[in-house]
Each structure stands twice: as C-alpha cells, then as structure tokens.
Amino acid sequence: MLYAVKMDVAIPRDLDPEVRADTVAREKAYSHELQRGGEWAHIWRIAGQYSNISIFDVTDNERLHEILWNLPLFPFMTMEITPLAQHPSDIAVQT
Ligand SMILES: O=C(O)CC1=CCC(=O)O1
C-alpha cells in the first residue's frame, strides 16, 4: 500500500544543541535504513519549509504507524497522511 506523508518539523529552539544534533542524525540513519529496504520510497524537501513529503510503500496501516511512531523526530512533528490509489489515467498501469 502506498501513502503520501507530509511531515512538518518543529524542534523547540531551546532544545539542547547536542540532543538536537543526535536526534537529527538518528532520524537520517533511520530514514536511510528504510529507504534501502524499499519501504521509504521517496523523500522530497518542501521548498522553503522544514517539511518533507515522503512516499511509503508498506504492507498495511499498522506497518506505516510503526515506522512513523519510531521516527526519532516524531515528538517534534505533525503529519498529514494520504493513502494513495492508482489513477485510471496513469499510462504506466493502463492495459
Ligand atoms: O528533515 C526532515 O524533513 C525530517 C526528516 C525525515 C527523514 C530525515 O532524514 O529527516
């Protein structure tokens, strides 16, 4: 199942700089691991914002929840999740 996830990051300005750097580094490593495994299919920066739009290719809602819940930056994010279905006009899937 495919999902588009918009993640808006808001790290408190008074967070200890070492904790911030460690959390961001762990977020990157976690994301890379999931990208290599194929479940985090795309990640795009939204220009001018500390936000991204990502595409996840996962088995079900529970797996998506598990992935998102375990993001190191999860406590500092708000998310908007959109389930995706094939579009009938997509030439890649027309028969
Ligand atoms: O910077 C972001 O948009 C948050 C984030 C998600 C994966 C990652 O490495 O950073």
Side-chain angles (χ1 to χ4, degrees):
M1 297 174 72
L2 291 172
Y3 299 86
V5 179
K6 180 173 182 275
M7 303 180 197
D8 299 312
V9 186
I11 301 175
R13 290 188 186 280
D14 61 354
L15 188 68
D16 181 302
E18 281 187 22
V19 173
R20 179 191 174 104
D22 176 66
T23 306
V24 169
R26 288 188 293 111
E27 178 87 6
K28 187 172 185 175
Y30 180 68
S31 172
H32 283 182
E33 181 187 330
L34 290 162
Q35 288 177 57
R36 287 192 200 96
E39 289 185 299
W40 197 323
H42 297 277
I43 180 167
W44 295 94
R45 176 63 78 213
I46 298 177
Q49 297 179 32
Y50 194 1
S51 304
N52 74 74
I53 289 184
S54 292
I55 305 295
F56 288 88
D57 187 355
V58 294
T59 49
D60 51 30
N61 290 349
E62 284 69 29
R63 178 58 184 150
L64 181 68
H65 179 75
E66 181 180 44
I67 287 171
L68 299 178
W69 186 262
N70 285 299
L71 287 165
L73 283 174
F74 183 84
F76 309 121
M77 284 179 168
T78 54
M79 297 185 196
E80 185 181 315
I81 297 164
T82 307
L84 302 175
Q86 283 183 350
H87 194 289
S89 298
D90 184 349
I91 60 169
V93 295
Q94 277 184 354
T95 55

